[in-house]
Amino acid sequence: MRPSRLLDLERLEDRCLLSGDLDLSFGSNGIVRTDFSSDDQGYAAAIYADQAGTHGGKIVVAGSVIGNQSSDVNIGVARYHRDGTLDTSFSGDGKVVTSFGSSQEEARDVLIQSDGKIVAVGWTTSGRNMDFALVRYDTAGNLDTSFGSKGKVLTGFVGSGLSGSDDIAVAAALQTDGRIVVAGHANLPGGVPTAEAIVLARYDRSGRLDTSFDADGKVITTAQALQGSTAIFVHDMALAGDGKILVAGARRIPNPDRWVAFVARYTPGGSLDTTFGVSGIVTLGATAVDIHYQSHALAVQADGAMEKPRAQPEPQAAPTADGHGHAHDEVTSPNGLPDGMGI
């Protein structure tokens, strides 16, 4: 039996002051733990804007919750007050669990819309393969029936059932017009048993695929199309001020066989932006031998430059779909060159 994991707040289970000290006014000595069941995991957090009325400053955490059986995993969402106490105006006890009717599902990111509604983004098993899964809640924690089908959206990319792709959503962002962009990776039918493509989807505010995004609302970029990669994992995404989409992760390259960190940029219409890096992609660690690199998180500065963590050398470790590793920062200019070399 696996050790119990609580749905922990803010990744390291604590809130720190600017000085780096634990904020003792938050939870119990700066730490909050919330137990849904015997084995729960928090993956993402979001905070309401201070100007969001009665909800200003509240914290939302999303992840996975083990059900009655160890094989039954559902999406779990919790909302907290500023002081770390559960917000009982959200679903009665501050917690909500949602199932798509499958045995395995989890939220990997969470968004708060300008109207206060909450969108949890992740994946679910559907017909024995994995699909993008989105759930939207109103401010009281109820499923928002104006979104998708009774508050839920499922998106597959290639085929269905045993012949379909496994599509895992890992990150999402809200455009200024309210449209939702989701990024992840896919294991394509007939391929090797690892992620083989970047997959993106864009939705309108009602949860419908946005057909102005690559005609059908979905984009598939195979690993092979990214400078001859043999496999690929996505770990994060971000939106630039001009609406372009940045995706970060790790890709596997041959000769010699190793993993390198990458950032790819797409136009608002869903095409790779060839003005960025080399044919739309920037690679880190390509000259290293017997060392693996990964990008685990991504942020865009106000001037358009990127702050992208790059994995420290890990000679014995290769990326996994969950993406674990250590990182330090490198800043690049808006066109993907090292900062100071931008146009």
Side-chain angles (χ1 to χ4, degrees), residues 158-326:
V158 178
S160 61
L162 290 175
S163 61
S165 57
D166 281 322
D167 313 307
I168 303 174
V170 298
L174 280 170
Q175 295 186 174
T176 55
D177 60 7
R179 286 183 288 185
I180 303 164
V181 182
V182 181
H185 44 252
N187 177 22
L188 302 178
V192 295
T194 186
E196 288 190 341
I198 296 172
V199 282
L200 305 173
R202 189 165 71 194
Y203 306 85
D204 64 20
R205 293 181 68 93
S206 66
R208 291 188 297 263
L209 284 165
D210 175 13
T211 55
S212 69
F213 188 65
D214 203 45
D216 62 355
K218 299 183 287 186
V219 169
I220 300 174
T221 304
T222 64
Q224 182 65 32
L226 293 176
Q227 301 174 13
S229 305
T230 58
I232 202 158
F233 288 109
V234 170
H235 295 312
D236 201 8
M237 68 157 294
L239 295 177
D242 57 4
K244 292 182 178 180
I245 301 163
L246 293 144
V247 177
R251 64 188 185 95
R252 192 171 188 171
I253 61 175
N255 303 319
D257 180 47
R258 64 205 186 281
W259 289 87
V260 295
F262 79 90
V263 178
R265 189 167 75 181
Y266 293 81
T267 67
S271 302
L272 274 172
D273 180 5
T274 57
T275 67
F276 180 77
V278 178
S279 301
I281 185 171
V282 171
T283 300
L284 301 172
T287 59
V289 177
D290 297 329
I291 296 176
H292 298 292
Y293 287 83
Q294 299 186 63
S295 292
H296 288 280
L298 181 66
V300 180
Q301 297 177 174
D303 62 359
M306 292 171 295
E307 187 85 10
K308 56 179 188 302
R310 179 181 62 187
Q312 294 175 350
E314 299 180 33
Q316 304 301 322
T320 65
D322 289 334
H324 301 287
H326 308 284

Side-chain angles (χ1 to χ4, degrees), residues 15-25:
R15 187 169 74 183
C16 296
L17 302 170
L18 291 177
S19 64
D21 297 323
L22 281 172
D23 179 0
L24 302 184
S25 68

